[in-house]
Structure formats: structure tokens, C-alpha cells
Amino acid sequence: VFQGRILAQRLVGQETRYEVEVKTPYRHRFPLVSREYVWVPNICGCPRLQEGGEYLLMARRHVNYERTLNRILLQDNGYARPWTPREDRLVREAAQHC
């Protein structure tokens, strides 16, 4: 779970790749750097993320069977909400209990 700002969007094959500036990592099981690519396995724009917008994203790491592909994946039904101070407060409160 992290707060990020969408810098760019690009369609690659049948997937969408977002370049994201990681602002605040809240909870992560793998290391994040200041800029990451977040992949969505479709080109329909679901979830809809706008360039320049800030979002609270819950993504997972995807490693293929051969271990040759390691990326951050935001699934169609993944959590992607516009970031607000309220979202920040809710995530920080939840982190204390989890």
C-alpha cells in the first residue's frame, strides 16, 4: 500500500503501464524506490488513473514462473482511490492494528 502520483501512462501490448512517483509507502512486503512502474493487465483503463493525480494504491508483486519477470501489478479489482488526507489517516490507523 502506498501513495503515489501518476507521472505517465503507456499501453504496452494488452496491458497498461503507469509510471508512478512513490510519495509515501505505508505497508509493503517488497522494497519500493522513488519511481516505479505499476502494471494493469488490461487496456480499458480499469481502474481509471489520471496523469498528475495522486492515489492510494494497493498492488502486489508479480513474479512469473521462470522468475524472469518481477513487477508491481494492480489488478482490475485492485484498490486504487484518489488520495485525500482522510485516506492517509485511515491507512495509518489501520496499520496500527495490522
Side-chain angles (χ1 to χ4, degrees), residues 1 19 22 40 45 53 60 64-65 76 91:
V1 178
E19 184 177 351
V22 177
V40 177
R60 67 181 185 92
N64 68 349
Y65 182 73
D76 296 344
V91 171

Side-chain angles (χ1 to χ4, degrees), residues 6-20:
I6 306 300
L7 301 175
Q9 172 186 347
R10 181 175 180 201
L11 299 179
V12 179
Q14 294 297 309
E15 298 180 305
T16 305
R17 182 185 77 184
Y18 293 98
E19 184 177 351
V20 179

Side-chain angles (χ1 to χ4, degrees), residues 8-90:
Q9 172 186 347
R10 181 175 180 201
L11 299 179
V12 179
Q14 294 297 309
E15 298 180 305
T16 305
R17 182 185 77 184
Y18 293 98
E19 184 177 351
V20 179
E21 176 187 2
V22 177
K23 299 267 225 176
T24 307
Y26 293 102
R27 187 169 174 94
H28 50 90
R29 296 181 183 196
F30 50 92
L32 293 172
V33 295
S34 62
R35 288 201 180 179
E36 293 280 3
Y37 287 123
V38 175
W39 293 83
V40 177
N42 64 52
I43 56 173
C44 71
C46 306
R48 189 169 306 275
L49 304 176
Q50 299 293 323
E51 287 185 37
E54 290 192 21
Y55 296 90
L56 186 65
L57 302 169
M58 184 183 306
R60 67 181 185 92
R61 185 173 75 167
H62 172 253
V63 180
N64 68 349
Y65 182 73
E66 295 85 16
R67 302 223 180 266
T68 59
L69 182 64
N70 184 351
R71 61 190 186 162
I72 299 174
L73 183 67
L74 180 62
Q75 296 172 308
D76 296 344
N77 59 354
Y79 190 85
R81 300 282 188 263
W83 184 88
T84 63
R86 180 179 180 273
E87 290 284 340
D88 179 59
R89 182 177 47 81
L90 292 173

